[in-house]
Coordinates of all heavy atoms in Angstrom, one line a residue:
G1 N 28.6 9.7 71.3 CA 30.0 9.7 71.1 C 30.3 10.5 69.9 O 29.5 11.3 69.4
A2 N 31.5 10.3 69.3 CA 32.0 11.0 68.2 C 31.2 10.7 67.0 O 30.8 11.7 66.1 CB 33.4 10.6 67.9
D3 N 30.7 9.5 66.7 CA 29.8 9.2 65.6 C 28.5 10.0 65.7 O 28.0 10.5 64.7 CB 29.6 7.7 65.5 CG 30.8 7.0 64.9 OD1 31.6 7.6 64.3 OD2 30.8 5.7 65.1
E4 N 27.9 10.0 66.9 CA 26.6 10.7 67.0 C 26.8 12.2 66.8 O 25.9 12.8 66.1 CB 26.1 10.5 68.4 CG 25.6 9.2 68.7 CD 25.2 8.9 70.1 OE1 25.1 9.9 70.9 OE2 24.8 7.8 70.5
N5 N 28.0 12.8 67.2 CA 28.1 14.2 67.0 C 28.4 14.4 65.5 O 27.8 15.4 64.9 CB 29.5 14.7 67.7 CG 29.7 16.1 67.6 OD1 28.7 16.9 67.7 ND2 30.9 16.5 67.4
R6 N 29.0 13.6 64.8 CA 29.3 13.7 63.4 C 28.0 13.7 62.6 O 27.7 14.4 61.7 CB 30.2 12.6 62.8 CG 30.7 12.8 61.4 CD 31.7 11.8 61.1 NE 31.4 10.4 61.4 CZ 30.9 9.5 60.5 NH1 30.8 9.8 59.2 NH2 30.6 8.4 60.9
I7 N 27.1 12.7 63.0 CA 25.7 12.5 62.4 C 24.9 13.9 62.7 O 24.2 14.4 61.7 CB 25.1 11.3 62.9 CG1 25.8 10.1 62.4 CG2 23.6 11.3 62.5 CD1 25.3 8.8 63.0
E8 N 24.9 14.3 63.8 CA 24.2 15.5 64.1 C 24.7 16.8 63.3 O 23.9 17.6 62.8 CB 24.3 15.8 65.7 CG 23.5 17.0 66.0 CD 23.5 17.2 67.6 OE1 23.7 16.2 68.4 OE2 23.2 18.4 68.0
V9 N 25.9 16.9 63.2 CA 26.5 18.0 62.4 C 26.1 17.9 60.9 O 25.8 18.8 60.3 CB 28.1 18.1 62.6 CG1 28.7 19.0 61.5 CG2 28.4 18.5 63.9
S10 N 26.3 16.6 60.4 CA 25.9 16.4 59.0 C 24.4 16.6 58.7 O 24.0 17.2 57.7 CB 26.2 14.9 58.6 OG 27.6 14.8 58.6
L11 N 23.5 16.1 59.7 CA 22.1 16.4 59.5 C 21.8 17.9 59.6 O 21.0 18.4 58.7 CB 21.3 15.7 60.7 CG 19.9 15.9 60.6 CD1 19.2 15.4 59.3 CD2 19.2 15.2 61.8
K12 N 22.4 18.6 60.4 CA 22.2 20.1 60.5 C 22.6 20.7 59.2 O 21.9 21.7 58.7 CB 22.9 20.7 61.7 CG 22.6 22.2 61.8 CD 23.4 22.9 62.9 CE 23.1 24.3 63.0 NZ 22.6 25.1 62.0
R13 N 23.7 20.3 58.7 CA 24.2 20.9 57.4 C 23.2 20.6 56.3 O 22.9 21.5 55.5 CB 25.7 20.4 57.1 CG 26.2 21.0 55.8 CD 27.7 20.6 55.6 NE 27.9 19.2 55.8 CZ 28.8 18.7 56.6 NH1 29.8 19.4 57.2 NH2 29.0 17.2 56.6
E14 N 22.8 19.4 56.3 CA 21.9 19.0 55.3 C 20.6 19.8 55.3 O 20.0 20.3 54.3 CB 21.6 17.5 55.3 CG 20.6 16.9 54.3 CD 21.3 16.6 53.0 OE1 22.5 16.5 53.0 OE2 20.6 16.4 51.9
V15 N 20.0 19.9 56.4 CA 18.8 20.8 56.7 C 19.0 22.2 56.3 O 18.2 22.8 55.6 CB 18.3 20.7 58.2 CG1 17.2 21.6 58.5 CG2 17.8 19.2 58.3
D16 N 20.1 22.9 56.7 CA 20.4 24.2 56.4 C 20.6 24.3 54.9 O 20.0 25.4 54.3 CB 21.8 24.6 57.0 CG 21.7 24.8 58.5 OD1 20.6 24.8 59.0 OD2 22.8 24.8 59.1
I17 N 21.1 23.4 54.2 CA 21.2 23.5 52.7 C 19.8 23.5 52.2 O 19.4 24.2 51.2 CB 22.2 22.3 52.1 CG1 23.6 22.8 52.4 CG2 22.0 22.3 50.6 CD1 24.6 21.6 52.2
L18 N 19.0 22.5 52.5 CA 17.7 22.2 51.9 C 16.8 23.5 52.2 O 15.9 23.8 51.4 CB 17.0 20.9 52.5 CG 17.6 19.6 52.1 CD1 17.0 18.4 52.8 CD2 17.2 19.5 50.5
Q19 N 17.0 24.1 53.4 CA 16.2 25.3 53.7 C 16.7 26.6 52.8 O 15.8 27.4 52.6 CB 16.4 25.8 55.2 CG 15.6 24.8 56.1 CD 15.8 25.0 57.5 OE1 16.9 25.5 57.9 NE2 14.8 24.7 58.3
S20 N 17.9 26.6 52.3 CA 18.4 27.7 51.6 C 18.1 27.6 50.1 O 18.3 28.6 49.4 CB 20.0 27.8 51.9 OG 20.7 26.8 51.2
I21 N 17.9 26.5 49.5 CA 17.7 26.3 48.2 C 16.2 26.6 47.7 O 15.2 26.3 48.4 CB 18.2 24.9 47.6 CG1 17.4 23.8 48.1 CG2 19.6 24.8 47.9 CD1 17.8 22.4 47.5
N22 N 16.2 27.1 46.5 CA 14.8 27.3 45.9 C 15.0 27.3 44.4 O 15.4 28.2 43.8 CB 14.3 28.7 46.4 CG 12.9 29.0 45.7 OD1 12.2 28.0 45.3 ND2 12.4 30.2 45.8
H23 N 14.7 26.2 43.7 CA 14.8 26.0 42.4 C 13.8 25.0 41.9 O 13.5 24.0 42.6 CB 16.2 25.3 42.1 CG 16.5 25.3 40.6 ND1 16.1 24.3 39.7 CD2 17.2 26.1 39.7 CE1 16.5 24.6 38.5 NE2 17.1 25.6 38.5
P24 N 13.1 25.3 40.7 CA 11.9 24.4 40.2 C 12.3 22.9 40.1 O 11.5 22.1 40.1 CB 11.4 25.0 39.1 CG 12.5 25.9 38.6 CD 13.4 26.4 39.8
S25 N 13.6 22.6 39.9 CA 14.0 21.3 39.6 C 14.6 20.6 40.8 O 15.1 19.4 40.8 CB 15.0 21.2 38.4 OG 14.4 21.6 37.3
L26 N 14.5 21.3 41.9 CA 14.9 20.6 43.2 C 13.9 20.5 44.2 O 13.0 21.4 44.2 CB 16.1 21.5 43.8 CG 17.3 21.6 42.9 CD1 18.3 22.6 43.6 CD2 18.2 20.4 42.9
V27 N 13.8 19.3 44.9 CA 12.8 19.3 45.9 C 13.0 20.3 47.1 O 14.1 20.7 47.3 CB 12.8 17.8 46.5 CG1 12.3 16.7 45.4 CG2 14.0 17.4 47.2
Q28 N 11.9 20.6 47.6 CA 11.8 21.7 48.7 C 11.7 21.0 50.1 O 10.8 20.1 50.2 CB 10.8 22.7 48.4 CG 10.9 23.4 47.2 CD 12.1 24.3 47.1 OE1 12.4 25.1 48.1 NE2 13.0 24.0 46.2
L29 N 12.3 21.4 51.1 CA 12.0 21.0 52.4 C 10.8 21.7 52.9 O 10.8 22.9 53.0 CB 13.3 21.2 53.3 CG 13.1 20.8 54.8 CD1 13.1 19.3 54.9 CD2 14.3 21.4 55.6
K30 N 9.8 20.9 53.3 CA 8.6 21.5 53.8 C 8.6 21.6 55.3 O 8.0 22.6 55.8 CB 7.4 20.6 53.3 CG 7.2 20.5 51.8 CD 7.0 21.9 51.3 CE 6.7 21.7 49.7 NZ 6.6 23.0 49.1
A31 N 9.2 20.7 56.0 CA 9.2 20.7 57.4 C 10.3 19.8 57.9 O 10.8 18.9 57.2 CB 7.8 20.2 58.0
F32 N 10.8 20.1 59.2 CA 11.8 19.2 59.8 C 11.5 19.1 61.3 O 11.1 20.1 61.9 CB 13.2 20.0 59.5 CG 14.3 19.4 60.4 CD1 14.8 18.1 60.0 CD2 14.8 19.9 61.5 CE1 15.8 17.4 60.7 CE2 15.8 19.3 62.1 CZ 16.2 18.1 61.8
G33 N 11.7 18.0 61.8 CA 11.7 17.7 63.2 C 12.5 16.6 63.6 O 12.9 15.7 62.7
S34 N 13.0 16.7 64.9 CA 13.8 15.6 65.4 C 13.7 15.3 66.8 O 13.2 16.2 67.6 CB 15.2 15.9 65.0 OG 15.7 17.0 65.7
D35 N 14.1 14.2 67.4 CA 14.3 13.9 68.7 C 15.6 13.3 69.0 O 16.4 13.4 68.0 CB 13.1 13.1 69.3 CG 13.0 11.7 68.5 OD1 14.0 11.2 68.1 OD2 11.8 11.1 68.6
E36 N 15.8 12.7 70.0 CA 17.1 12.1 70.3 C 17.5 10.9 69.4 O 18.6 10.6 69.2 CB 17.1 11.7 71.8 CG 17.0 12.8 72.7 CD 16.8 12.3 74.2 OE1 17.0 11.1 74.5 OE2 16.8 13.2 75.1
K37 N 16.4 10.3 68.8 CA 16.8 9.0 68.1 C 16.5 9.1 66.6 O 17.0 8.3 65.9 CB 15.9 7.8 68.7 CG 16.4 7.5 70.0 CD 15.8 6.2 70.5 CE 16.2 5.9 72.0 NZ 17.3 4.9 72.1
R38 N 15.7 10.0 66.2 CA 15.4 10.1 64.7 C 15.2 11.5 64.3 O 14.9 12.4 65.1 CB 14.2 9.2 64.4 CG 13.0 9.5 65.3 CD 12.0 8.5 65.2 NE 11.2 8.6 66.4 CZ 10.9 7.7 67.2 NH1 11.0 6.4 66.8 NH2 10.3 7.9 68.4
A39 N 15.2 11.7 63.0 CA 14.9 13.0 62.3 C 13.9 12.8 61.3 O 13.8 11.7 60.7 CB 16.2 13.5 61.7
L40 N 13.0 13.7 61.0 CA 12.0 13.6 60.0 C 12.1 14.8 59.1 O 12.0 15.9 59.6 CB 10.6 13.6 60.7 CG 9.4 13.7 59.7 CD1 9.3 12.3 59.0 CD2 8.1 13.8 60.4
L41 N 12.3 14.6 57.8 CA 12.4 15.6 56.9 C 11.2 15.4 55.9 O 10.9 14.3 55.4 CB 13.7 15.5 56.0 CG 14.9 16.0 56.6 CD1 15.5 15.0 57.6 CD2 16.0 16.3 55.6
V42 N 10.4 16.4 55.8 CA 9.2 16.4 54.8 C 9.6 17.1 53.6 O 9.9 18.3 53.6 CB 7.9 17.0 55.5 CG1 6.8 17.0 54.6 CG2 7.6 16.3 56.9
L43 N 9.6 16.4 52.5 CA 10.0 17.0 51.2 C 8.8 17.0 50.3 O 7.7 16.4 50.6 CB 11.2 16.2 50.7 CG 12.4 16.0 51.5 CD1 13.3 15.0 50.8 CD2 13.1 17.3 51.7
D44 N 8.9 17.7 49.2 CA 8.0 17.6 48.1 C 7.6 16.2 47.7 O 8.5 15.4 47.8 CB 8.4 18.3 46.8 CG 8.6 19.9 46.9 OD1 7.7 20.5 47.7 OD2 9.3 20.4 46.2
Y45 N 6.3 16.1 47.4 CA 5.9 14.7 47.0 C 6.1 14.6 45.5 O 5.7 15.5 44.8 CB 4.3 14.5 47.3 CG 3.8 13.2 46.7 CD1 4.3 12.0 47.1 CD2 2.7 13.3 45.8 CE1 3.7 10.9 46.6 CE2 2.2 12.1 45.3 CZ 2.7 10.9 45.7 OH 2.2 9.8 45.2
C46 N 6.7 13.6 45.1 CA 7.0 13.3 43.6 C 6.3 12.1 43.3 O 6.8 10.9 43.3 CB 8.6 13.2 43.4 SG 9.5 14.6 44.0
P47 N 5.1 12.2 42.6 CA 4.2 11.1 42.4 C 4.7 10.2 41.3 O 4.3 9.0 41.2 CB 2.9 11.7 42.0 CG 3.2 13.1 41.5 CD 4.4 13.6 42.3
G48 N 5.6 10.6 40.5 CA 6.0 9.8 39.3 C 7.2 8.8 39.7 O 7.5 8.0 38.9
G49 N 7.6 8.9 40.9 CA 8.8 8.0 41.3 C 10.0 8.6 40.8 O 10.2 9.6 40.4
D50 N 11.1 7.7 41.1 CA 12.5 8.2 40.6 C 12.7 7.7 39.1 O 11.9 7.0 38.5 CB 13.5 7.6 41.4 CG 13.8 6.1 41.5 OD1 13.9 5.5 40.3 OD2 13.9 5.5 42.6
L51 N 13.7 8.4 38.6 CA 14.0 8.2 37.2 C 14.6 6.9 36.9 O 14.5 6.4 35.8 CB 14.9 9.4 36.7 CG 14.3 10.6 36.4 CD1 15.3 11.7 35.9 CD2 13.2 10.5 35.4
F52 N 15.2 6.3 37.8 CA 15.8 4.9 37.7 C 14.6 3.9 37.3 O 14.6 3.2 36.3 CB 16.5 4.4 38.8 CG 17.1 3.0 38.6 CD1 18.3 2.8 38.0 CD2 16.4 1.8 39.2 CE1 18.7 1.5 37.7 CE2 16.9 0.6 38.9 CZ 18.1 0.4 38.2
D53 N 13.6 4.0 38.1 CA 12.4 3.1 37.9 C 11.8 3.4 36.5 O 11.3 2.5 35.7 CB 11.3 3.2 38.9 CG 11.8 2.6 40.3 OD1 12.7 1.8 40.2 OD2 11.3 3.0 41.3
F54 N 11.7 4.7 36.3 CA 11.1 5.1 34.9 C 12.0 4.6 33.8 O 11.4 4.1 32.8 CB 11.0 6.6 34.9 CG 10.4 7.2 33.6 CD1 9.1 6.9 33.3 CD2 11.1 8.0 32.8 CE1 8.5 7.4 32.1 CE2 10.6 8.5 31.6 CZ 9.3 8.2 31.2
A55 N 13.3 4.8 33.9 CA 14.2 4.5 32.7 C 14.3 2.9 32.6 O 14.5 2.4 31.5 CB 15.6 5.0 32.9
T56 N 14.0 2.1 33.6 CA 14.2 0.6 33.5 C 12.8 0.0 33.4 O 12.8 -1.3 33.5 CB 14.9 0.1 34.7 OG1 14.3 0.5 35.9 CG2 16.3 0.6 34.8
S57 N 11.8 0.7 33.2 CA 10.3 0.1 33.2 C 10.1 -0.6 31.9 O 9.2 -1.3 31.8 CB 9.4 1.2 33.5 OG 9.3 2.1 32.4
G58 N 11.0 -0.4 30.9 CA 10.7 -1.0 29.6 C 9.8 -0.4 28.7 O 9.6 -0.7 27.6
G59 N 9.2 0.8 29.2 CA 8.2 1.5 28.3 C 9.0 2.3 27.3 O 10.2 2.6 27.3
K60 N 8.2 2.8 26.3 CA 8.9 3.7 25.2 C 8.6 5.1 25.5 O 8.7 6.0 24.6 CB 8.2 3.1 23.9 CG 8.6 1.7 23.6 CD 8.2 1.3 22.2 CE 8.5 -0.1 22.1 NZ 8.9 -0.5 20.9
L61 N 8.4 5.5 26.7 CA 8.1 6.8 27.0 C 9.4 7.7 27.0 O 9.4 8.9 27.0 CB 7.5 7.0 28.4 CG 6.1 6.3 28.5 CD1 5.5 6.4 29.9 CD2 5.0 6.9 27.6
L62 N 10.6 7.0 27.1 CA 11.8 7.8 27.2 C 12.3 8.1 25.9 O 13.1 7.5 25.3 CB 12.8 6.9 28.1 CG 13.9 7.7 28.8 CD1 13.4 8.7 29.7 CD2 14.7 6.7 29.5
T63 N 11.7 9.2 25.3 CA 12.0 9.6 23.9 C 13.3 10.5 23.9 O 13.7 11.0 25.0 CB 10.9 10.3 23.3 OG1 10.7 11.6 24.2 CG2 9.6 9.6 23.4
P64 N 14.0 10.6 22.8 CA 15.1 11.5 22.8 C 14.7 12.9 23.2 O 15.5 13.6 24.0 CB 15.5 11.5 21.3 CG 15.2 10.2 20.8 CD 13.8 9.8 21.6
R65 N 13.6 13.4 22.9 CA 13.1 14.8 23.3 C 13.0 14.8 24.8 O 13.4 15.8 25.4 CB 11.8 15.1 22.7 CG 11.3 16.5 23.0 CD 10.1 16.8 22.2 NE 9.6 18.1 22.6 CZ 8.3 18.4 22.5 NH1 7.4 17.6 21.9 NH2 8.0 19.7 22.8
L66 N 12.4 13.8 25.4 CA 12.3 13.8 26.9 C 13.6 13.7 27.6 O 13.9 14.4 28.6 CB 11.4 12.7 27.4 CG 11.2 12.5 28.9 CD1 10.6 13.8 29.4 CD2 10.2 11.4 29.1
I67 N 14.6 12.8 27.0 CA 15.9 12.7 27.6 C 16.6 14.1 27.5 O 17.2 14.5 28.6 CB 16.7 11.7 26.9 CG1 16.1 10.3 27.1 CG2 18.2 11.7 27.2 CD1 16.6 9.3 26.1
R68 N 16.5 14.9 26.4 CA 17.1 16.2 26.4 C 16.5 17.1 27.5 O 17.2 17.9 28.1 CB 16.8 16.8 25.0 CG 17.8 16.2 23.9 CD 17.8 17.0 22.7 NE 16.5 17.0 22.1 CZ 16.0 16.1 21.2 NH1 16.8 15.1 20.8 NH2 14.8 16.2 20.7
R69 N 15.2 17.0 27.7 CA 14.5 17.9 28.7 C 15.0 17.5 30.0 O 15.4 18.5 30.8 CB 13.0 17.8 28.6 CG 12.3 18.5 29.7 CD 10.9 18.6 29.6 NE 10.3 19.0 30.8 CZ 9.2 18.6 31.3 NH1 8.5 17.6 30.7 NH2 8.8 19.2 32.4
I70 N 15.0 16.3 30.4 CA 15.6 15.8 31.7 C 17.0 16.3 31.9 O 17.4 16.8 32.9 CB 15.5 14.3 31.8 CG1 13.9 13.8 31.9 CG2 16.2 13.7 33.1 CD1 13.7 12.4 31.7
F71 N 17.8 16.1 30.9 CA 19.2 16.5 31.0 C 19.3 18.0 31.2 O 20.1 18.5 32.1 CB 20.0 16.0 29.8 CG 21.5 16.2 30.0 CD1 22.2 15.4 30.8 CD2 22.2 17.2 29.2 CE1 23.6 15.7 31.0 CE2 23.5 17.4 29.4 CZ 24.2 16.7 30.3
A72 N 18.6 18.9 30.5 CA 18.7 20.2 30.7 C 18.2 20.6 32.0 O 18.8 21.5 32.7 CB 17.7 20.9 29.5
E73 N 17.3 20.0 32.6 CA 16.8 20.4 33.9 C 17.8 19.9 35.0 O 18.0 20.7 35.9 CB 15.5 19.7 34.2 CG 14.2 20.3 33.5 CD 12.9 19.7 33.9 OE1 12.7 19.2 34.9 OE2 12.0 19.9 33.1
L74 N 18.4 18.8 34.8 CA 19.5 18.4 35.7 C 20.7 19.4 35.6 O 21.2 19.8 36.7 CB 20.0 17.0 35.2 CG 21.3 16.5 36.0 CD1 21.0 16.4 37.4 CD2 21.8 15.2 35.4
V75 N 21.1 19.8 34.5 CA 22.2 20.7 34.3 C 21.8 22.1 35.0 O 22.7 22.7 35.6 CB 22.6 20.9 32.8 CG1 23.5 22.1 32.6 CG2 23.1 19.7 32.3
A76 N 20.6 22.5 34.7 CA 20.1 23.8 35.3 C 20.2 23.7 36.9 O 20.6 24.7 37.6 CB 18.8 24.2 34.9
A77 N 19.7 22.5 37.4 CA 19.7 22.4 38.9 C 21.2 22.3 39.5 O 21.5 23.0 40.4 CB 19.0 21.1 39.3
V78 N 22.1 21.6 38.8 CA 23.4 21.5 39.3 C 24.1 22.9 39.1 O 24.8 23.3 40.0 CB 24.2 20.4 38.4 CG1 25.7 20.5 38.8 CG2 23.6 19.1 38.8
R79 N 23.8 23.6 38.0 CA 24.3 25.0 37.9 C 23.9 25.9 39.0 O 24.7 26.7 39.6 CB 23.9 25.6 36.5 CG 24.5 27.0 36.3 CD 24.0 27.6 34.9 NE 24.6 26.7 33.9 CZ 23.9 26.3 32.8 NH1 22.7 26.6 32.6 NH2 24.5 25.6 31.9
Y80 N 22.7 25.9 39.4 CA 22.0 26.5 40.5 C 22.9 26.2 41.8 O 23.2 27.1 42.6 CB 20.6 26.3 40.7 CG 20.0 26.8 41.9 CD1 19.7 28.2 42.0 CD2 19.9 26.1 43.0 CE1 19.0 28.7 43.1 CE2 19.4 26.5 44.2 CZ 19.0 27.9 44.3 OH 18.5 28.4 45.4
L81 N 23.0 24.9 42.1 CA 23.7 24.5 43.3 C 25.1 25.0 43.3 O 25.6 25.6 44.3 CB 23.7 23.0 43.3 CG 22.3 22.3 43.6 CD1 22.4 20.8 43.6 CD2 21.7 22.7 45.0
H82 N 25.8 24.9 42.1 CA 27.2 25.3 42.1 C 27.3 26.9 42.3 O 28.2 27.4 42.9 CB 27.8 24.9 40.9 CG 28.2 23.4 40.7 ND1 28.8 22.8 39.7 CD2 27.8 22.4 41.6 CE1 28.9 21.6 39.9 NE2 28.3 21.2 41.1
A83 N 26.3 27.6 41.7 CA 26.3 29.0 41.9 C 26.1 29.5 43.3 O 26.6 30.5 43.9 CB 25.2 29.6 41.0
N84 N 25.6 28.5 44.1 CA 25.3 28.7 45.6 C 26.4 28.0 46.4 O 26.1 27.8 47.6 CB 23.9 28.4 45.9 CG 23.0 29.4 45.4 OD1 22.8 30.5 46.0 ND2 22.3 29.1 44.3
Y85 N 27.4 27.5 45.8 CA 28.6 26.9 46.5 C 28.1 25.6 47.1 O 28.6 25.3 48.3 CB 29.2 27.8 47.5 CG 29.7 29.0 46.8 CD1 29.0 30.2 46.9 CD2 30.9 29.1 46.1 CE1 29.4 31.4 46.3 CE2 31.3 30.2 45.4 CZ 30.6 31.4 45.5 OH 30.9 32.6 44.9
I86 N 27.2 24.9 46.6 CA 26.7 23.7 47.0 C 27.1 22.5 46.0 O 26.9 22.7 44.8 CB 25.2 23.5 47.2 CG1 24.7 24.6 48.1 CG2 24.7 22.2 47.6 CD1 23.3 24.9 48.2
V87 N 27.7 21.4 46.5 CA 28.0 20.3 45.6 C 27.2 19.2 45.9 O 27.2 18.6 47.1 CB 29.5 19.9 45.9 CG1 29.9 18.8 44.9 CG2 30.5 21.0 45.5
H88 N 26.5 18.6 45.1 CA 25.7 17.4 45.1 C 26.6 16.3 44.9 O 27.0 16.0 43.7 CB 24.5 17.4 44.2 CG 23.4 16.4 44.5 ND1 23.8 15.0 44.5 CD2 22.2 16.5 44.8 CE1 22.7 14.3 44.8 NE2 21.6 15.2 44.9
R89 N 26.8 15.4 45.9 CA 27.8 14.3 45.7 C 27.2 13.0 45.4 O 27.8 11.9 45.5 CB 28.8 14.2 46.9 CG 29.5 15.5 47.1 CD 30.5 15.4 48.2 NE 30.0 14.6 49.4 CZ 30.7 14.3 50.5 NH1 32.0 14.7 50.5 NH2 30.2 13.6 51.4
D90 N 25.9 12.9 45.0 CA 25.3 11.6 44.8 C 24.3 11.8 43.6 O 23.1 11.4 43.7 CB 24.6 11.1 46.1 CG 24.2 9.7 46.1 OD1 24.8 9.0 45.3 OD2 23.1 9.4 46.7
I91 N 24.7 12.3 42.5 CA 23.9 12.5 41.3 C 23.8 11.1 40.6 O 24.8 10.6 40.2 CB 24.4 13.6 40.4 CG1 24.4 14.9 41.0 CG2 23.5 13.6 39.1 CD1 25.0 16.0 40.2
K92 N 22.6 10.6 40.7 CA 22.3 9.3 39.9 C 20.7 9.3 39.8 O 19.9 10.1 40.3 CB 22.7 8.1 40.8 CG 22.0 8.1 42.1 CD 22.6 7.0 43.1 CE 21.9 7.1 44.5 NZ 22.6 6.3 45.4
L93 N 20.2 8.4 38.9 CA 18.9 8.3 38.5 C 18.0 8.1 39.7 O 16.8 8.6 39.7 CB 18.6 7.2 37.5 CG 19.2 7.4 36.1 CD1 18.8 6.3 35.2 CD2 18.7 8.7 35.5
E94 N 18.5 7.3 40.7 CA 17.7 7.1 42.0 C 17.5 8.4 42.7 O 16.7 8.5 43.7 CB 18.3 6.0 42.8 CG 18.4 4.6 42.2 CD 19.6 4.5 41.4 OE1 20.2 5.3 40.8 OE2 20.0 3.3 41.3
S95 N 18.3 9.4 42.6 CA 18.2 10.7 43.2 C 17.4 11.7 42.6 O 17.3 12.8 43.0 CB 19.6 11.2 43.6 OG 20.4 10.4 44.3
M96 N 16.9 11.4 41.4 CA 16.2 12.3 40.5 C 14.7 11.7 40.4 O 14.5 10.5 40.2 CB 16.7 12.4 39.2 CG 18.2 13.0 39.3 SD 19.1 13.3 37.8 CE 18.4 12.4 36.5
F97 N 13.8 12.7 40.6 CA 12.4 12.2 40.6 C 11.6 12.9 39.6 O 11.9 14.0 39.0 CB 11.7 12.6 42.0 CG 12.4 11.8 43.1 CD1 13.5 12.3 43.8 CD2 11.9 10.6 43.4 CE1 14.1 11.6 44.8 CE2 12.6 9.9 44.4 CZ 13.6 10.3 45.1
R98 N 10.4 12.4 39.1 CA 9.6 12.9 38.1 C 8.4 13.7 38.8 O 8.0 13.3 39.8 CB 9.1 11.8 37.2 CG 10.1 10.9 36.5 CD 9.6 10.0 35.6 NE 8.8 9.0 36.3 CZ 7.6 8.6 35.8 NH1 7.0 9.2 34.8 NH2 6.9 7.6 36.3

């Protein structure tokens, strides 16, 4: 129905965007496949996990210097996306990986 069509259009748009971007601070789409019921997106492996887990782990690894570096990389990635007319509408620590 209409919902399935909307999902299909959204998925195609997401895949097209992921295929078009190339920036060191953004994950890359390695492969994509789908059938009638599911889609599989293969992205870069990020062994350090997401930044939410890192920030809330209670460790003292999150130094001011590291925070500045993370912020600078985030700003550079968003600047790249905006320069390519792409808006990331879900920027949060859980969407950022180490």
Side-chain angles (χ1 to χ4, degrees):
D3 285 340
E4 289 176 4
N5 186 43
R6 188 173 53 100
I7 291 169
E8 186 175 331
V9 168
S10 294
L11 177 61
K12 181 180 180 344
R13 183 173 48 231
E14 183 81 15
V15 169
D16 288 346
I17 289 169
L18 287 170
Q19 288 175 331
S20 73
I21 61 174
N22 183 16
H23 188 275
S25 295
L26 298 171
V27 295
Q28 299 293 304
L29 179 66
K30 300 298 185 186
F32 170 74
S34 66
D35 61 25
E36 295 174 1
K37 295 191 183 255
R38 55 191 154 224
L40 175 68
L41 284 79
V42 180
L43 303 169
D44 285 331
Y45 175 61
C46 302
D50 67 47
L51 283 180
F52 180 81
D53 290 340
F54 181 65
T56 59
S57 66
K60 298 189 184 215
L61 299 174
L62 207 53
T63 63
R65 181 177 180 200
L66 181 57
I67 292 169
R68 284 191 299 273
R69 178 176 164 215
I70 291 168
F71 187 73
E73 289 184 24
L74 172 62
V75 169
V78 171
R79 181 179 295 134
Y80 169 84
L81 292 174
H82 289 183
N84 288 281
Y85 305 101
I86 300 167
V87 176
H88 190 304
R89 299 185 320 172
D90 193 27
I91 296 175
K92 59 186 177 191
L93 291 178
E94 294 91 328
S95 300
M96 301 182 339
F97 299 90
R98 302 187 295 132

